[in-house]
């Protein structure tokens, strides 16, 4: 095992990007305010001075072009990191992501590859109102041709950036806007990668399986601490990748605990919970001792006002309540 | 005016005829149910495609929209593999997964036909970025229809190309209708090249897209400028003699209008030009017509005898392994 260093997710992302840019001259960053400003979440602070404007490219506010030009540059053999300031603006780039990044390799019979990384940040809870508080990761996970990962921990943030940049497919790295200050141990290994489509158990337990990703993992960890005090041992599966989706670990866990709660910040309808539940029905129906519960955002546009926004979002308490309903 | 050798002129003539025969044969195959999906024919616009593609170098790159057969043929893609793609065969340029609207060949630096209007524009900018990033001497020819100049992609891509001085020739094939909507009914500016001014971009010419030599010269000059300095927006004024796609009722234009333009057939005009310059005879042109017809028949035979893709192929090339 490599030595580790404790750092924030922001530092882990930044270090991974910096190392990859030193490792490979074809890696460059483009997006709104990535350069002179230093990145709106400060991930690329200092990069502009360190690497220059050729490799840290400020763009106009033009999401279709940020992703579309990234697709073209990737097809031409560069390794762009196209940054979308937040996932809310990814809707503007949806065609470039879905119809181009995800399709070009297949549609032209494998002639072109698109080694593009799209970095963006998701999540609500910051009183930004309905248009700026989405958690729509599932939209991107719907389409074959893309990979989608969502780091919840610092080591994953570090390894996923490197994996995305080195992979020959388009990869979306969807960070969470409230996790940049979250600390964790990161391996001191410049080649630390996160296997594509591999989930992991972040806490072991025998009584119930909690399945989540991104910020949801932290609600689950908090809930597991509360439950532990009451003698309930929750096992937590961090999906890490929404595409490809690793079913093996949560199915295995479910066969042990026979009970499950799926936790996500996104909306309930056709969400991750719906997908995971269907997979359990298909692969482990006979192990089911109680109906699977979902903890999601309320099925409404998120509001501005602090109290009601928090009421609309998942929480550790809501996870605890759901667990008690399945026990 | 460029000094064309006889062989060059006859080659261009042959390409135009080959495109025409390809398109006519495709229309038949479509009616026979052998070609599916949408079929957008290039008949009438051959001079634009052949002139533009001939004007750039092998190391330059090409993007175009869904009316792409003529561009692919002008770029020298294998006619058998093109026809096989039309028929959805595994021997097609895109292994039967692309179809009429998604022809491409990496080895020809032909990056494809794209069917989302305007979707290929930022991709062209991205490929052009490589030239600046790696300090390589190539340019990108990005063709689009007049309709594409009203979509958001156009604005974002042209602006980005201007900000970064990217070597792109944005060539608008103005055939006067976006599907059935006339340019003036869809664009605040009828003279599309004027849109260059909004981006501080070099405003290129509006060349006669029915004249292969005029198009050649205009694109050649634009590409030389683009490689050195940055993007150019230019227009080729052309006309499609057939519907937008098969089954177009053509309510948006009169038969008289189509007849008028058809009398100015770019192939006939070019043939007459060659003869007037004493660079070819009726017999030589007739021989090329015959050669093109034979090549197309051989391509149809190749395509029809080629195997269909298998079920297993569905799962190939979804990701790079």
């Amino acid at each position: 095992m490599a030595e580790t260093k404790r750092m924030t997710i922001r530092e882990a992302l930044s270090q991974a990007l910096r190392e990859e840019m030193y490792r490979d001259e074809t890696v460059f960053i483009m997006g709104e305010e990535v350069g002179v400003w230093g990145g709106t979440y400060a991930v690329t602070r200092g990069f502009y001075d360190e690497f220059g404007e050729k490799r840290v490219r400020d763009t106009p506010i033009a999401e279709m072009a940020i992703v579309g030009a990234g697709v073209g540059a990737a097809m031409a053999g560069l390794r762009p990191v196209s940054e979308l300031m937040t996932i809310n603006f990814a809707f503007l780039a949806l065609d470039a992501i879905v119809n181009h990044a995800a399709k070009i390799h297949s549609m032209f019979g494998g002639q072109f590859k698109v080694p593009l990384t799209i970095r963006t940040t998701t999540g609500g809870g910051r009183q930004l109102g309905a248009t700026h508080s989405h958690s729509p990761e599932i939209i991107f996970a719907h389409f074959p041709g893309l990979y989608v990962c969502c780091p919840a921990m610092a080591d994953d943030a570090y390894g996923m950036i490197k994996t995305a940049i080195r992979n020959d497919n388009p990869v979306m790295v969807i960070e969470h806007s409230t996790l940049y200050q979250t600390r964790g141990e990161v391996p001191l290994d410049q080649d630390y990668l996160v296997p594509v489509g591999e989930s992991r158990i972040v806490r072991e337990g025998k009584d119930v399986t909690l399945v989540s990703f991104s910020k949801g993992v932290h609600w689950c960890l908090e809930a597991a601490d509360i439950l532990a005090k009451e003698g309930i041992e929750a096992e937590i599966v961090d999906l890490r990748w929404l595409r490809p989706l690793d079913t093996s670990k949560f199915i295995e866990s479910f066969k042990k605990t026979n009970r499950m709660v799926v936790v996500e910040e996104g909306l309930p309808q056709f969400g991750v919970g719906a997908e995971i539940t269907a997979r359990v029905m298909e692969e482990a129906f006979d192990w089911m001792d109680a109906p699977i519960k979902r903890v999601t955002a309320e099925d409404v546009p998120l509001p501005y006002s602090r109290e009601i926004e928090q009421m609309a979002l998942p929480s550790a308490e809501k996870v605890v309540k759901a667990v008690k309903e399945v026990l | 005016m460029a000094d064309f050798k006889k062989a060059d002129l006859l080659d261009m003539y042959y390409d135009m005829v080959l495109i025409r025969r390809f398109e006519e044969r495709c229309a038949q195959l479509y009616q026979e149910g052998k070609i599916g999906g949408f079929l957008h024919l290039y008949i009438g616009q051959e001079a634009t495609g052949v002139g533009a593609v001939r004007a750039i170098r092998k190391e330059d790159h090409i993007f175009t929209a869904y009316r792409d057969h003529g561009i692919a043929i002008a770029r020298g893609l294998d006619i058998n593999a093109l026809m096989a793609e039309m028929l959805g065969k595994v021997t097609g340029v895109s292994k039967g997964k692309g179809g009429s609207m998604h022809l491409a060949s990496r080895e020809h630096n032909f990056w494809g036909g794209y069917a989302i209007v305007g979707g290929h524009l930022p991709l062209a900018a991205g490929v052009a970025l490589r030239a600046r990033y790696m300090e390589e001497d190539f340019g990108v020819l990005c063709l689009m229809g007049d309709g594409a100049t009203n979509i958001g992609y156009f604005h974002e891509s042209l602006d980005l190309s201007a900000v970064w001085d990217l070597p792109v020739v944005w060539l608008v094939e103005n055939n006067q209708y976006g599907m059935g909507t006339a340019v003036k009914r869809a664009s605040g500016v009828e003279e599309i090249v004027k849109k260059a001014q909004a981006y501080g971009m070099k405003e290129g010419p509006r060349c006669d897209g029915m004249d292969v030599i005029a198009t050649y010269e205009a694109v050649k000059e634009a590409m030389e400028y683009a490689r050195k300095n940055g993007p150019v927006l230019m227009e080729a004024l052309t006309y499609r003699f057939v519907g937008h796609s098969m089954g177009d009722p053509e309510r948006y234009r009169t038969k008289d209008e189509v007849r008028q333009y058809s009398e100015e057939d770019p192939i006939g005009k070019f043939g007459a030009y060659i003869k007037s310059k004493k660079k070819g005879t009726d017999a030589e042109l007739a021989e090329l017509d015959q050669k093109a017809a034979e090549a197309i028949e051989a391509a149809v035979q190749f395509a029809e005898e080629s195997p269909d893709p298998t079920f297993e192929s569905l799962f190939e090339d979804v990701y790079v392994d």
Side-chain angles (χ1 to χ4, degrees):
Chain A
M1 282 291 278
E3 272 186 81
T4 62
K5 184 183 170 194
R6 193 163 177 77
M7 62 178 84
T8 63
I9 284 182
R10 173 182 290 117
E11 289 163 346
L13 293 164
S14 187
Q15 185 163 327
L17 284 165
R18 182 178 276 112
E19 287 171 3
E20 291 306 295
M21 289 181 73
Y22 277 115
R23 188 185 60 80
D24 183 348
E25 281 285 321
T26 66
V27 177
F28 69 96
I29 297 170
M30 64 171 149
E32 295 154 15
E33 309 299 352
V34 296
V36 175
W37 186 292
T40 40
Y41 291 91
V43 171
T44 54
R45 184 174 293 166
F47 279 42
Y48 189 79
D49 292 334
E50 196 171 342
F51 296 103
E53 64 179 359
K54 176 181 145 188
R55 300 188 66 197
V56 186
R57 307 181 76 94
D58 282 320
T59 64
I61 303 169
E63 281 78 11
M64 299 161 94
I66 292 168
V67 176
V71 172
M75 290 169 78
L78 303 180
R79 293 198 173 261
V81 178
S82 286
E83 181 176 320
L84 296 171
M85 192 182 287
T86 78
I87 203 162
N88 308 290
F89 313 143
F91 297 135
L92 291 158
L94 203 54
D95 177 71
I97 297 170
V98 170
N99 272 329
H100 295 90
K103 299 294 189 290
I104 278 169
H105 184 62
S106 165
M107 191 168 69
F108 295 118
Q111 296 187 69
F112 307 104
K113 53 186 187 180
V114 185
L116 169 67
T117 299
I118 301 171
R119 273 190 60 227
T120 189
T121 188
T122 191
R126 298 167 66 222
Q127 287 196 268
L128 296 173
T131 65
H132 272 54
S133 305
H134 290 287
S135 298
E137 294 84 283
I138 52 153
I139 289 175
F140 306 99
H142 189 62
F143 298 101
L146 281 180
Y147 288 145
V148 179
C149 60
C150 306
M153 304 292 176
D155 59 343
D156 275 352
Y158 178 75
M160 282 172 177
I161 288 288
K162 287 173 175 278
T163 304
I165 288 172
R166 297 185 194 188
N167 197 281
D168 278 341
N169 294 288
V171 183
M172 285 189 78
V173 182
I174 303 178
E175 300 152 16
H176 196 287
S177 62
T178 66
L179 294 181
Y180 285 110
Q181 290 291 82
T182 300
R183 286 174 193 280
E185 295 294 326
V186 174
L188 293 173
D189 172 3
Q190 297 212 5
D191 293 317
Y192 179 75
L193 303 176
V194 177
V196 172
E198 197 175 293
S199 60
R200 72 173 167 185
I201 309 278
V202 295
R203 178 174 174 137
E204 291 187 8
K206 63 175 175 42
D207 297 323
V208 62
T209 301
L210 305 180
V211 181
S212 194
F213 63 98
S214 190
K215 190 172 185 184
V217 175
H218 296 274
W219 287 317
C220 290
L221 285 165
E222 208 183 320
D225 282 341
I226 297 167
L227 291 163
K229 287 176 191 145
E230 303 178 30
I232 300 163
E233 293 176 30
E235 180 149 293
I236 302 171
V237 180
D238 179 357
L239 294 170
R240 303 205 285 180
W241 298 80
L242 295 185
R243 182 176 276 276
L245 181 66
D246 176 10
T247 59
S248 65
K249 294 209 173 55
F250 70 76
I251 293 288
E252 196 182 324
S253 174
F254 184 73
K255 286 181 176 175
K256 179 172 72 175
T257 66
N258 314 113
R259 295 157 202 282
M260 181 179 282
V261 174
V262 187
V263 180
E264 66 193 296
E265 190 172 344
L267 298 166
Q269 192 162 306
F270 306 117
V272 173
E275 178 67 31
I276 300 294
T277 305
R279 298 297 185 109
V280 172
M281 298 288 277
E282 287 164 356
E283 296 180 40
F285 181 73
D286 291 340
W287 280 266
M288 193 179 296
D289 282 355
I292 294 170
K293 279 278 181 193
R294 292 181 286 174
V295 176
T296 69
E298 297 292 342
D299 198 12
V300 296
L302 284 183
Y304 160 73
S305 186
R306 184 196 304 273
E307 290 297 315
I308 59 169
E309 185 188 22
Q310 288 304 319
M311 287 178 200
L313 289 169
S315 65
E317 291 70 29
K318 288 181 183 176
V319 176
V320 168
K321 183 166 171 284
V323 166
K324 290 182 175 173
E325 285 167 12
V326 302
L327 284 178
Chain B
M1 195 180 211
D3 183 25
F4 289 96
K5 295 195 183 70
K6 174 175 176 170
D8 293 333
L9 293 173
L10 292 182
D11 274 357
M12 285 194 270
Y13 178 83
Y14 177 71
D15 279 356
M16 290 170 70
V17 173
L18 192 64
I19 294 169
R20 181 68 60 91
R21 294 291 96 80
F22 186 91
E23 299 296 64
E24 289 168 349
R25 198 67 176 85
C26 283
Q28 284 175 359
L29 291 162
Y30 191 85
Q31 274 146 2
E32 291 167 21
K34 291 180 179 166
I35 293 174
F38 293 146
L39 182 67
H40 306 91
L41 299 176
Y42 202 58
I43 292 172
Q45 299 182 217
E46 296 91 343
T48 301
V50 171
V53 171
R54 286 256 164 185
I56 66 168
R57 307 180 303 194
K58 278 198 169 58
E59 55 270 33
D60 296 324
H61 300 265
I62 304 178
F63 279 84
T64 191
Y66 50 84
R67 199 177 301 285
D68 58 348
H69 314 162
I71 309 301
I73 292 169
R75 190 58 166 179
L77 273 69
D78 176 48
I79 202 88
N80 290 356
L82 287 170
M83 192 59 88
E85 188 64 33
M86 303 299 298
L87 269 64
K89 298 303 181 83
V90 74
T91 50
V93 288
S94 302
K95 297 186 190 168
K97 289 194 177 170
S100 160
M101 303 193 287
H102 306 115
L103 306 172
S105 172
R106 181 66 186 85
E107 60 168 308
H108 291 85
N109 287 336
F110 177 58
W111 298 72
Y114 290 81
I116 300 290
V117 172
H120 61 298
L121 273 57
L123 276 54
V127 170
L129 175 57
R130 182 190 163 102
R132 294 291 184 248
Y133 192 94
M134 304 296 276
E135 295 175 17
E136 293 169 346
D137 180 29
F138 68 78
V140 178
L141 172 66
C142 182
L143 298 106
M144 73 196 87
D146 46 272
T149 69
N150 306 313
I151 198 168
Y153 269 130
F154 177 85
H155 171 70
E156 293 196 7
S157 306
L158 267 73
D159 185 57
L160 194 73
S161 74
V163 172
W164 289 350
D165 298 325
L166 301 177
V168 188
V169 173
W170 303 108
L171 172 57
V172 180
E173 288 188 82
N174 183 350
N175 67 12
Q176 309 188 34
Y177 297 93
M179 282 192 76
T181 305
V183 169
K184 65 179 172 202
R185 295 178 63 219
S187 174
V189 181
E190 268 192 76
E191 206 175 323
I192 289 171
V193 285
K194 293 275 179 250
K195 295 185 183 188
Q197 293 172 11
Y199 308 106
M201 181 183 296
K202 166 91 171 167
E203 183 182 322
R206 305 184 91 196
C207 69
D208 179 359
M210 305 303 268
D211 179 338
V212 65
I213 301 293
T215 305
Y216 175 98
E217 288 178 337
V219 172
K220 192 172 179 60
E221 191 183 332
M223 184 57 91
E224 274 160 20
Y225 177 91
R227 279 194 219 105
K228 285 195 198 79
N229 307 293
V232 179
L233 176 64
M234 65 170 290
E235 241 177 303
L237 299 175
T238 182
Y239 197 82
R240 73 176 141 67
F241 297 166
V242 294
H244 163 75
S245 58
M246 300 296 284
D248 172 356
E250 299 191 54
R251 291 193 192 94
Y252 50 86
R253 60 186 187 182
T254 63
K255 289 203 167 63
D256 271 353
E257 180 185 305
V258 178
R259 194 176 310 121
Q260 240 170 20
Y261 277 102
S262 303
E263 281 164 11
E264 298 290 305
D265 187 331
I267 297 177
K269 255 171 57 182
F270 188 46
Y273 170 85
I274 290 172
K275 286 185 282 181
S276 77
K277 293 282 174 189
K278 309 276 185 246
K279 303 278 187 166
T281 61
D282 278 324
E284 284 170 311
L285 299 184
E287 197 180 315
L288 293 175
D289 290 348
Q290 181 62 23
K291 188 178 152 201
E294 284 166 12
I296 297 300
E297 282 323 300
V300 172
Q301 190 180 348
F302 170 83
E304 294 201 303
E305 288 171 0
S306 289
D308 288 323
T310 59
F311 175 77
E312 286 71 31
S313 78
L314 272 177
F315 306 95
E316 291 165 5
D317 299 324
V318 177
Y319 291 98
V320 182
D321 292 332

